[in-house]
Amino acid sequence: MYQRAFWESLLKQVPPSGVEQPVDLDTMRAFEAPRVLSGGGSYAYLKIADGCSQRCTYCTIPRIKGPLVSRSVDTILREAEQLIRTGVTELILVSQNTSAYGMDLTPGHRPQLAALLRGLDQLTGIRILRVLYLYPTLVTQELLEAIGSSRHVAHYVDIPLQHTDPVVLKTMGRPWAAGSAARVVDRVRRIIPDAGLRSTFIVGFPGETEEQFKRLLADLSVLRLDHASAFAYSREAFAVSSRFPDQVHGSTKSRRLREFMESQQKISSSINEVRYLGRDVEVIVDGVTQSGIYGRTLLDAPDVDNTVQVRTGHKTQPALGDICRARITTVGPYDLNGFLV
């Protein structure tokens, strides 16, 4: 009944055909709709903003969605409370540029993500908060301290770095100061020593030389990120980079992607061995298998990071969304295996 009333009220606001209406930012920031969770999982995504004001040359999001528009704090808190009431264990904050949240809400254009996290951290019934998609230059000491000192925010830091070579980064329209990737990673580890770090990269960007790609691989071995994935550059029709000269051949992009992933798999395996092998860890239960349950550690996001397969034996099987303890017996680059303790 509530959903029907909502959609009926929304339809009444639709302007006559062919009549353009100016975008009302206050309406966009306060927009609410009933959430329907079709997956029945232990987690839910909570969108805190839309659009992006960055100008990465490979991306068409600003052209499609426009500049950053942050939802109001009250709107986000109400949606979070609604999701908590449905039994969701973990709320995952997302947007195209999550760390820029609130820059459009304040005269000084200062990010407000740290303040938002502090507010969400106080909600009754909240268990786990996770943040995805942090722009490198906005991973500030204030934000990291808010994550590190919170009661419920996972010590998980996702920073899409895209590359480490300054020339490639400058061509991408990204922060390109030499050594910037190492500095932001060092800052994270200094403030949150036990943080799980994830990043994404692009290989085969127009003009990327073999020397620049090898530099990326060398930097990857120094950064030693818990998780890193890469994409072969895709030539989007309306992206600025689609018009760049020196487009990299498809076979070269495929070969570089394979080499990148092979290098990172070795790093992830060695990190998993040190961090988890033979240890008891907390596991968020995401589903059930024939022999037990599967889930993630607190330092893993769904669908992209480690999956933990847990044998339950004759013990009582944890429910979806529970946090149980498992002893890890084998590890790989993406999968952990263990038994319920």
Side-chain angles (χ1 to χ4, degrees):
M1 189 70 179
Y2 170 69
Q3 291 187 28
R4 179 180 177 182
F6 167 77
W7 290 114
E8 287 178 347
S9 66
L10 191 64
L11 286 171
K12 292 177 182 177
Q13 301 174 32
V14 176
S17 176
V19 178
E20 292 189 8
Q21 298 291 322
V23 175
D24 182 66
L25 293 181
D26 289 337
T27 300
M28 292 177 66
R29 289 172 177 142
F31 177 78
E32 295 182 75
R35 289 290 301 269
V36 178
L37 300 178
S38 58
S42 60
Y43 58 87
Y45 293 95
L46 178 57
K47 194 168 190 176
I48 64 172
D50 206 4
C52 184
S53 298
Q54 304 298 330
R55 290 294 182 266
C56 302
T57 60
Y58 52 79
C59 183
T60 57
I61 287 174
R63 181 187 180 102
I64 296 169
K65 287 182 169 289
L68 172 76
V69 178
S70 301
R71 300 177 74 194
S72 72
V73 173
D74 289 344
T75 302
I76 294 170
L77 292 178
R78 281 195 296 271
E79 185 168 325
E81 289 173 334
Q82 177 198 346
L83 291 168
I84 292 167
R85 286 195 297 271
T86 68
V88 168
T89 298
E90 177 179 0
L91 294 179
I92 304 173
L93 274 57
V94 294
S95 72
Q96 281 78 34
N97 183 357
T98 308
S99 50
Y101 172 78
M103 291 183 70
D104 58 321
L105 299 177
T106 59
H109 303 291
R110 291 180 55 83
Q112 302 298 310
L113 180 58
L116 177 63
L117 287 175
R118 287 191 285 267
L120 288 166
D121 197 40
Q122 301 301 315
L123 291 180
T124 301
I126 189 68
R127 298 183 71 183
I128 304 170
L129 292 162
R130 190 180 305 276
V131 186
L132 301 184
Y133 316 134
L134 303 175
Y135 196 77
T137 57
L138 298 177
V139 182
T140 61
Q141 179 168 329
E142 179 191 14
L143 175 58
L144 293 173
E145 287 176 348
I147 293 172
S149 63
S150 71
R151 293 183 297 165
H152 303 105
V153 182
H155 290 183
Y156 178 91
V157 183
D158 172 32
I159 312 171
L161 295 169
Q162 310 301 13
H163 214 282
T164 59
D165 182 84
V167 175
V168 175
L169 286 168
K170 186 174 184 179
T171 309
M172 288 179 170
R174 303 280 294 183
W176 65 80
S180 57
R183 284 192 290 275
V184 70
V185 168
D186 288 345
R187 184 183 307 134
V188 172
R189 288 179 170 146
R190 173 172 50 83
I191 298 173
I192 314 174
D194 64 342
L197 274 154
R198 155 166 282 281
S199 190
T200 51
F201 297 85
I202 297 173
V203 300
F205 191 77
E208 182 193 53
T209 65
E210 197 64 26
E211 180 182 1
Q212 289 166 335
F213 172 68
K214 294 300 183 186
R215 174 174 182 164
L216 171 60
L217 292 187
D219 289 340
L220 199 64
S221 66
V222 174
L223 294 173
R224 288 188 61 78
L225 303 167
D226 296 76
H227 309 289
S229 57
F231 302 91
Y233 169 75
S234 176
R235 195 173 187 178
E236 299 293 334
F238 294 105
V240 174
S241 59
S242 67
R243 302 188 295 274
F244 287 175
D246 301 324
Q247 297 284 329
V248 177
H249 193 275
S251 62
T252 301
K253 290 191 286 189
S254 297
R255 188 257 304 165
R256 290 178 182 174
L257 178 60
R258 183 178 66 254
E259 291 182 13
F260 179 100
M261 293 309 302
E262 288 173 351
S263 296
Q264 180 58 38
Q265 284 168 2
K266 294 175 182 177
I267 295 168
S268 293
S269 287
S270 65
I271 290 174
N272 283 343
E273 183 173 348
V274 172
R275 192 190 286 270
Y276 297 119
L277 188 59
R279 299 175 182 270
D280 293 351
V281 300
E282 291 186 315
V283 176
I284 310 162
V285 180
D286 287 334
V288 178
T289 66
Q290 289 184 340
S291 60
I293 55 96
Y294 67 89
R296 297 165 286 115
T297 78
L298 294 176
L299 300 183
D300 294 305
D303 301 322
V304 293
D305 297 331
N306 290 320
T307 298
V308 188
Q309 301 285 338
V310 181
R311 301 185 305 278
T312 54
H314 299 295
K315 293 184 172 68
T316 301
Q317 188 149 290
L320 197 68
D322 283 352
I323 300 175
C324 64
R325 291 192 69 80
R327 182 162 301 164
I328 305 303
T329 55
T330 62
V331 300
Y334 308 118
D335 298 304
L336 313 176
N337 293 279
F339 60 87
L340 193 66
V341 295

